């Protein structure tokens, strides 16, 4: 049997871009894309230099790429720039100071509009406060804030003075802060008294206090007042944001930093062990996020953009802060949960602010499908012209629902594949050019040499599953794992010489479109057939009764692995033995007998990471051992573990 991943799901629906969309788009046809992509791969440096030229450089670079110490890349060698200046000052200087940068919507319903002028002034004042507190270029600063404009201000203020920010998602606990602090040796924390989540206050400052018990490197804690909940301030260490900025002017020179000056560290959990500090630098990262935002979201000056991610994830860094702001975009920022106070919240916001570009995750889309269409149908969503998806493979059925119910069958969907490590989107449609097929991220972005390789390093043919790689360096690539060059090499560069291993399984179809079939660690091996999880899951989700599913392998004496599917059903549907049988047959009919689940377990919810990705590792352990002994700190809702374990015991499988 071949060692390669076999691809089994067929999808025939194709949606060509509308003429009216294409004619106004940055890239207008597939021919134009093909030609640009061919050139950009033959000579990536020329392409990326043309994109870096869109930035403001205080000193131009001398060498576009230095790859002589691969896999440690240097882009735009000798160039100097300031990331914050590129996000703010430039737009003010060019007369766009009165334009709204952020339409903010707080969870309790408070709203405010922040213009580029105001954002610049407040960022400069805060940058001055950081300096006043003794923070210098190169220092690491932890940011632990709710989804409020001050999160962007804090990040941009760090960038302005060359401090390296490390944002910690507000849903993480004291322990996670401690790990990140120990690894980064940060000297300051920027936090808030609290943040709103589903009507209650998340005690951010108290969590920081707990993380700072005992010896550590933190000298200053700056605390923003958001919820006015009671907090303890430690004399000499803690200072209120408003006190720290009180006497600061709103002018702060944008010092020029080297293109390779570290911009931020963002921690991401590996499959095992301690989180990896993904390091991104200045010039290349801004080039990657700025250009992808422009082309993939087809951003135009009058767009109102909304990305529902949190700034604590890479999506928030690249497509709330840096990408949109480099392009001078107007965007919505929302603090809270999608279903607070109810499932209308998102669509109300789209209607109120006339959002034209909307970017969210499959997990959110599936949750909306499960909650029922009535919440969507009440709202006028006609302002939308483009939709985006990120974070996981989007099942074709979820794609269709998104396309029809949210996009009114009018908006292209950009299914964007990328990673914390890649910094910017790598595989995605260009909405004015690429014909769309539900479930595929389609083709590599300009300058990106993505491919699928087999075990021996040969490129796979159409419909042959293999490992997704990138064969040439790109500007927004991670530079290393902070403090651990060896782990960087081992994790991403060991499989194939000089080639980046993404860790995802994928295939291309007859049109060269890329289909992600799941993480390599999650691949199923049934009687010698290696199957991706995504395809079996999509087959299940294509059944009317199913909201979500996660598929894992269970050790099996004869087959190697048996297929076990965890399934959540739509509101009001019962998991009967008949339905169980029907679903197994449905997968058999959609894909073939080989993928038919041996067992289906109905469960009220699936285990997810805090960023909404399904944790198959945990399910694998449950089916193999009936319990969970591994690390569950990244799990969003720990309560569901018991229900998942019980799903195997109550005989509904
Ligand atoms: C942006 C982000 C990265 C992993 C990646 C994939 C999965 C992300 C897609 C996707 C299929 C997509 N960064 N992934 N986007 N899979 N289609 N459009 O999510 O570092 O948190 O995760 O997410 O497995 O390797 S991340």
């Amino acid at each position: 049997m071949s060692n390669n991943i076999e691809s089994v799901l067929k999808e025939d629906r194709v949606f060509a871009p509308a003429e009216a969309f294409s004619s106004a788009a940055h890239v207008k046809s597939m021919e134009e894309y093909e030609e640009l992509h061919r050139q950009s791969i033959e000579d990536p440096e020329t392409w990326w230099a043309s994109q870096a030229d869109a930035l403001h450089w205080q000193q131009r670079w001398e060498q576009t790429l230095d790859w002589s110490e691969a896999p440690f890349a240097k882009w735009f060698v000798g160039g100097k720039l300031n990331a914050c200046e590129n996000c703010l000052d430039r737009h003010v200087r060019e007369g766009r100071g009165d334009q709204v940068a952020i339409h903010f919507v707080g969870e309790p319903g408070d709203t405010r509009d922040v213009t580029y002028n105001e954002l610049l002034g407040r960022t400069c004042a805060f940058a001055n406060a950081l300096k006043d507190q003794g923070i210098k270029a190169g220092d690491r600063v932890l940011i632990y804030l709710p989804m409020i404009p001050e999160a962007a201000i804090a990040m941009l203020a760090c960038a302005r003075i060359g401090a390296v920010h490390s944002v910690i998602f507000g849903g993480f606990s004291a322990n996670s802060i401690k790990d990140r602090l120990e690894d980064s040796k940060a000297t300051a924390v920027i936090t808030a008294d609290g943040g709103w989540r589903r009507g209650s206050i998340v005690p951010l400052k108290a969590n920081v206090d707990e993380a700072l018990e005992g010896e550590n490197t933190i000298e200053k804690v700056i605390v923003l007042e958001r919820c006015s909940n009671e907090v303890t301030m430690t004399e000499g260490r803690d200072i209120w944001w408003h006190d720290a900025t009180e006497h600061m002017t709103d002018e702060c020179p944008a010092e020029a930093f080297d293109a390779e000056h570290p911009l931020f560290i963002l921690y991401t959990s590996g499959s095992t062990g301690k989180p990896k500090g993904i390091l991104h630098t200045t010039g290349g990262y801004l080039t990657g996020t700025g250009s992808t935002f422009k082309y993939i979201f087809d951003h135009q000056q009058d767009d109102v953009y909304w990305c529902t991610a949190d700034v604590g994830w890479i999506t928030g860094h690249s497509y709330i802060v840096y990408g949109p702001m480099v392009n001078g975009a107007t965007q919505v920022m929302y603090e809270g949960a999608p279903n607070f106070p109810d499932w209308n919240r998102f669509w109300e916001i789209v209607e109120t602010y006339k959002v034209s570009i909307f970017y969210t995750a499959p997990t959110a889309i599936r949750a909306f499908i499960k909650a029922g269409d009535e919440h969507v149908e009440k709202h006028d969503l006609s302002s939308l012209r483009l939709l985006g998806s990120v974070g996981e493979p989007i099942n074709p059925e979820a794609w269709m629902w998104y396309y029809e119910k949210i996009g009114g069958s009018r908006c292209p969907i950009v299914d964007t594949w990328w990673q914390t490590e890649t910094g910017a989107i790598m595989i995605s449609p260009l909405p004015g050019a690429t014909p769309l097929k539900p479930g595929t991220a389609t083709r590599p972005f300009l300058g990106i040499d993505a491919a699928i390789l087999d075990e021996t390093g040969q490129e796979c043919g159409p419909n042959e599953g293999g490992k997704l790689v990138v064969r040439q360096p790109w500007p927004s690539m991670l530079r290393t794992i902070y403090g651990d060059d060896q782990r960087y090499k081992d994790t991403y560069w060991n499989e194939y010489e000089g080639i980046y291993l993404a860790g995802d399984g994928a295939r291309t179809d007859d049109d060269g479109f890329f289909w992600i079939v799941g993480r390599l660690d999650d691949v199923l091996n049934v009687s010698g057939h290696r199957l991706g999880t995504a395809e079996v899951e999509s087959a299940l989700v294509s059944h009317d009764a199913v909201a979500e599913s996660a598929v894992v392998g269970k050790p099996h004496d004869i087959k190697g692995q048996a297929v076990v599917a965890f399934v959540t059903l739509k509101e009001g549907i019962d998991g009967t033995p008949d339905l169980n049988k029907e679903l197994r047959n449905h997968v058999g009919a959609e894909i073939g007998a080989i993928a038919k689940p041996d067992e289906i377990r109905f469960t009220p919810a699936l285990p997810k990471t805090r960023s909404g990705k399904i944790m198959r590792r945990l399910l694998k352990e449950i089916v193999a051992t009936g319990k969970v002994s591994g690390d569950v700190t990244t799990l969003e809702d720990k309560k569901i573990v018991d229900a998942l374990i019980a799903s195997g015991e109550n005989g509904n499988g």
Side-chain angles (χ1 to χ4, degrees), residues 314-315 390-393 415-421 504 516 519 613:
I314 191 67
T315 305
V390 59
E392 285 182 294
D415 175 359
T416 62
W417 179 88
W418 59 296
Q419 308 175 294
T420 305
E421 291 87 340
D504 282 352
I516 308 297
R519 295 291 300 170
K613 293 190 211 293

